[in-house]
């Protein structure tokens, strides 16, 4: 006979008890019913004091099912006559403890909040037992007559409960046990609920139900930032959340740009709603079985009376691992909490149920004035030599407070007086643009004196440089920022190939000390509808963090004219151009478009460009300067007839540079060119000129080569 205090039957493992009274009571109820069932199974085998065979016995499941009715009356009589079974049955009559005043998140609180009836509570406790007590698995297997099944099922609950028909109601997927996330279905292969589906309580949820004083896991951390003043939109959403307490899941999208801190905004909203918000620290748990993990976190927040902020939704966006549809929103819909979802764009909400969705809360970036104030406070200096540098950094680098503080801490650690250039250098070092395959950074190769242009174009080029240097003063001291949306400068370099468009862009990058990125249009432009806009958005969003130069070579491929709409492809192509126009207007850096076909560019682009610089073919004087400049200083060019080459061959600067380079390559291979100062002669240059014309598929007569025609004839022979 089993003896001892009734509390000994809380679990199979010794001294395994919860801190919640209701949990201990219902765990004991499960343990007693399982023990009583084991007693009956031993009785069927003719058990004596020592069992003759292990349980479960090697019997056929079909026979076991067919014998349920056959032995039912005998089983009921056994529970009344057997000493141990009668003792366990008497203990089952103990009344449950009151749930009034139960600790928040405890099992008693959940019973009262969800209005769970006894059978529902018993099934929940059955799942808790399997999670809480490692020794319960073998007992469950014995009762189910299957050594491989150590998790309870609804079939086991029906087998143990005195009113088996009552268990049927729990098979409804809409039952509060499933909708609240307290019970979980462990049947990935067959996700539909059946009598024999393994059920359990997730470990995180079980811990909170059994031990309500347990802190939330480290993956959920409270917001610690100070609340910031809220926008009107954020205040209205927070007021709406407070006015109507949650009865089901509510989803508030939070859209932010770049690295804008969102915690102060959420903290301000939490003060209005009077509900704390915790944040998911890592998305590692989303990599497998996304919905069960989300549901466990959401259920934990519901048990603790807090709301949940998921910084990046959907998880692994852009990596193809999970899409928004990976979340079973129906499984979460009944939880009375608020989910704050950090999103990059509205498309992330495609699968979110509209009835649960609240308006998007925009988290704005810091304004120029706010950034400047942070710079002044973080550096703690009034040095007039640094005032303009701080203003320039506040405009050129749209950093948030944490990054500004990090930069200033490093600057204050220098063992020398700060210079204005130190601020820009430190800001540039902090910049980490993720443009991926959409753009490649360009290292400037040229200097200003190498650019040979007519006087008009030279003045335009100088005006562009001056305009970029004046943006801070004009936008924020003179007050044009709001009207012009703090925009940068957009220019077009147009002209035949080789006239210096790329060179000019690189010279500007060097003069202005701005990083330059060449846009790879083959990666940006995509034949699939909507993909080009996504690529452009990613490109401009990354570039908005700092003043940079975006160089669009062969820009007519992207900035072409909008067409008459004849089909869906035309309509979407026009949408791409319209989106590009809008992003160009908001771009705060320097955008340089280079094109050989100005006539093919959309007129709307041309209207929005600040400067258009036509790069003409160089005239005689300009060609002579180009020839003189492109010859390396270490090469003796005294034997070259620069006047003849400039007069006879009307080529652009890029072609002249190519000719000289090819001539040097051939000269270096000559056996007589091993001295300290190699000499470049007319023969290899004339040969290189002929090769360049052939490459361009442009005709050139022998008369054009004058006295050097024999050299060309020799090449042809």
């Amino acid at each position: 006979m089993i003896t001892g205090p009734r509390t000994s039957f809380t679990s199979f493992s010794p001294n395994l008890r919860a801190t919640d009274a209701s949990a201990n009571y219902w765990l004991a109820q499960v343990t007693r019913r399982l023990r009583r069932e084991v007693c009956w199974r031993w009785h069927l085998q003719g058990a004596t004091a020592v069992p003759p065979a292990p349980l479960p016995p090697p019997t056929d499941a079909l026979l076991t099912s067919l014998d349920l009715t056959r032995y039912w009356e005998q089983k009921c009589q056994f529970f009344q006559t057997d000493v141990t079974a009668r003792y366990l049955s008497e203990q089952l009559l103990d009344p449950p403890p009151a749930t009034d005043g139960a600790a928040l998140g405890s099992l008693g609180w959940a019973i009262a909040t969800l209005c769970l009836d006894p059978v529902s509570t018993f099934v929940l406790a059955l799942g808790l037992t399997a999670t809480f007590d490692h020794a319960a698995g073998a007992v469950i297997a014995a009762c189910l007559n299957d050594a491989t099944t150590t998790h309870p099922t609804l079939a086991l609950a029906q087998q143990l409960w005195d009113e088996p028909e009552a268990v049927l109601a729990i098979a409804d997927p809409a039952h509060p046990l499933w909708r609240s996330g307290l019970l979980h279905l462990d049947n990935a292969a067959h996700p539909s609920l059946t009598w024999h589906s393994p059920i359990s309580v997730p470990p995180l949820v079980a811990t909170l139900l059994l031990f309500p004083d347990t802190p939330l896991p480290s993956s959920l951390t409270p917001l610690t930032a100070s609340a910031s003043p809220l926008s009107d939109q954020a205040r209205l959403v927070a007021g709406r959340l407070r006015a109507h307490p949650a009865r089901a899941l509510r989803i508030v999208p939070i859209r932010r740009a770049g690295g804008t801190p969102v915690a102060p905004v959420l903290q301000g909203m939490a003060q209005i709603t009077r509900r704390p918000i915790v944040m998911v620290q890592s998305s590692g748990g989303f990599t497998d079985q996304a919905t069960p993990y989300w549901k466990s976190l959401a259920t934990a927040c519901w048990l603790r009376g807090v709301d949940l902020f998921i910084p990046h939704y959907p998880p692994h966006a852009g990596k193809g691992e999970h899409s928004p549809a990976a979340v079973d929103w129906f499984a979460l819909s009944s939880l009375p909490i608020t989910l704050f979802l950090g999103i990059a764009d509205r498309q992330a909400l495609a699968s979110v149920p509209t009835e649960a969705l609240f308006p998007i809360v925009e988290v704005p970036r810091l304004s120029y004035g706010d950034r400047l104030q942070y710079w002044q406070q973080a550096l703690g200096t009034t040095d007039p030599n640094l005032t303009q540098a701080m203003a320039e950094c506040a405009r050129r680098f749209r950093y948030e407070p944490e990054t500004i503080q990090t930069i200033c801490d490093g600057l204050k650690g220098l063992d020398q007086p700060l210079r204005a250039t130190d601020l820009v250098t430190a800001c540039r070092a902090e910049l980490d643009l993720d443009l991926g395959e959409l753009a490649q950074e360009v290292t400037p190769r040229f200097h200003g004196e190498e650019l040979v242009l007519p006087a008009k174009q030279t003045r335009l080029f100088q005006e562009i440089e001056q305009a970029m240097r004046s943006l801070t003063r004009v936008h924020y001291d003179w007050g044009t920022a709001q009207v012009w949306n703090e925009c940068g400068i957009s220019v077009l370099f147009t002209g035949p190939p080789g006239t210096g468009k790329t060179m000019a862009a690189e010279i500007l990058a060097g003069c202005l000390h701005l990083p330059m990125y060449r846009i790879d249009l083959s990666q940006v432009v995509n034949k699939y509808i909507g993909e080009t806009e996504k690529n452009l958005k990613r490109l401009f969003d990354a570039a908005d963090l700092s003043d940079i130069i975006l160089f669009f070579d062969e820009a007519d491929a992207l900035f072409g004219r909008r067409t008459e709409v004849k089909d869906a492809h035309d309509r979407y192509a026009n949408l791409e151009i319209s989106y590009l126009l809008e992003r160009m207007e908001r771009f705060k850096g320097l955008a340089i478009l280079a094109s050989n076909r100005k006539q093919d560019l959309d007129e709307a682009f041309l209207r929005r460009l600040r400067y258009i610089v036509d790069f003409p073919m160089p005239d005689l004087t300009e060609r002579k300067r180009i020839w003189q400049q492109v010859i390396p200083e270490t090469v003796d060019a005294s034997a070259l007839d620069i006047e003849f080459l400039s007069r006879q061959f009307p080529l652009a600067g890029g072609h002249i540079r190519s000719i000289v380079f090819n001539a040097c390559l051939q000269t270096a291979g000559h056996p007589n060119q091993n001295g300290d100062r190699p000499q470049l002669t007319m023969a290899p240059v004339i040969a290189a000129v002929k090769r360049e014309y052939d490459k361009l598929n442009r005709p050139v007569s022998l008369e054009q080569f004058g006295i050097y025609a024999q050299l060309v004839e020799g090449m042809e022979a």
Side-chain angles (χ1 to χ4, degrees), residues 112-169:
T113 303
L114 297 178
C115 301
L116 296 180
D117 57 17
V119 65
S120 300
T121 308
F122 172 75
V123 173
L124 176 58
L126 187 61
L128 274 173
T129 299
T131 303
F132 185 46
D133 188 358
H134 76 279
V139 181
I140 291 171
C143 294
L144 288 172
N145 193 37
D146 184 353
T148 63
T149 304
T150 58
H151 275 75
T153 63
L154 290 184
L156 178 61
Q158 193 175 51
Q159 182 178 331
L160 297 175
W161 194 246
D162 294 334
E163 299 171 356
E165 71 279 2
V167 179
L168 179 60

Side-chain angles (χ1 to χ4, degrees), residues 17-319:
R17 294 180 59 80
T19 58
D20 178 65
S22 293
N24 285 324
Y25 170 83
W26 284 102
L27 289 175
Q29 289 284 308
V30 170
T31 301
R32 291 162 184 161
R33 290 181 182 274
L34 287 171
R35 285 180 179 273
R36 192 175 66 167
E37 187 70 16
V38 169
C39 287
W40 165 246
R41 298 192 68 81
W42 278 340
H43 172 73
L44 286 179
Q45 290 184 248
T48 57
V50 178
L55 292 177
T59 57
D60 183 81
L62 174 61
L63 291 177
T64 301
S65 297
L66 293 175
D67 286 344
L68 289 176
T69 303
R70 174 185 175 189
Y71 289 112
W72 174 246
E73 292 185 3
Q74 184 180 343
K75 183 178 182 179
C76 294
Q77 185 179 4
F78 173 81
F79 286 167
Q80 298 300 321
T81 58
D82 181 80
V83 176
T84 301
R86 186 176 68 250
Y87 173 77
L88 294 169
S89 297
E90 290 174 354
Q91 288 187 318
L92 292 177
L93 300 177
D94 291 347
T99 56
D100 296 341
L104 177 68
S106 65
L107 180 61
W109 177 88
I111 293 171
T113 303
L114 297 178
C115 301
L116 296 180
D117 57 17
V119 65
S120 300
T121 308
F122 172 75
V123 173
L124 176 58
L126 187 61
L128 274 173
T129 299
T131 303
F132 185 46
D133 188 358
H134 76 279
V139 181
I140 291 171
C143 294
L144 288 172
N145 193 37
D146 184 353
T148 63
T149 304
T150 58
H151 275 75
T153 63
L154 290 184
L156 178 61
Q158 193 175 51
Q159 182 178 331
L160 297 175
W161 194 246
D162 294 334
E163 299 171 356
E165 71 279 2
V167 179
L168 179 60
I170 303 171
D172 182 2
H175 193 280
L177 290 179
W178 309 107
R179 299 290 298 278
S180 63
L182 297 179
L183 268 187
H184 174 62
L185 183 65
D186 295 327
N187 197 2
H190 301 284
S192 58
L193 181 64
T194 66
W195 283 110
H196 301 285
S197 301
I199 60 176
S200 67
V201 177
L204 171 59
V205 176
T207 301
L208 299 178
L209 290 172
L210 298 171
F211 305 98
D213 293 333
T214 303
L216 288 170
S218 57
S219 59
L220 296 176
T221 58
L223 300 177
T224 56
S226 301
S228 67
L230 298 179
S231 65
D232 291 341
Q233 179 197 35
R235 285 191 301 101
L236 289 172
V237 171
R240 182 174 157 191
L241 291 172
R242 179 181 174 182
H244 304 284
R247 301 183 185 277
L249 181 68
R250 304 185 296 189
I251 301 171
V252 180
I254 306 292
R255 182 163 56 191
R256 57 176 172 171
T260 309
V262 69
V265 174
L266 290 175
Q267 198 70 279
M269 297 181 71
Q271 290 181 356
I272 295 176
T273 62
R274 298 181 181 177
R275 282 181 62 88
I277 301 174
V278 295
M279 177 174 63
V280 180
Q281 283 286 44
S282 171
S283 62
F286 293 112
T287 55
D288 297 298
Q289 298 293 324
T291 296
Y293 182 74
W294 280 55
K295 196 165 187 177
S296 293
L297 292 180
T299 300
C301 292
W302 168 62
L303 292 173
R304 280 291 181 270
V306 300
D307 292 328
L308 179 62
F309 170 50
I310 300 173
H312 304 289
Y313 179 81
H316 307 293
K319 299 182 181 179

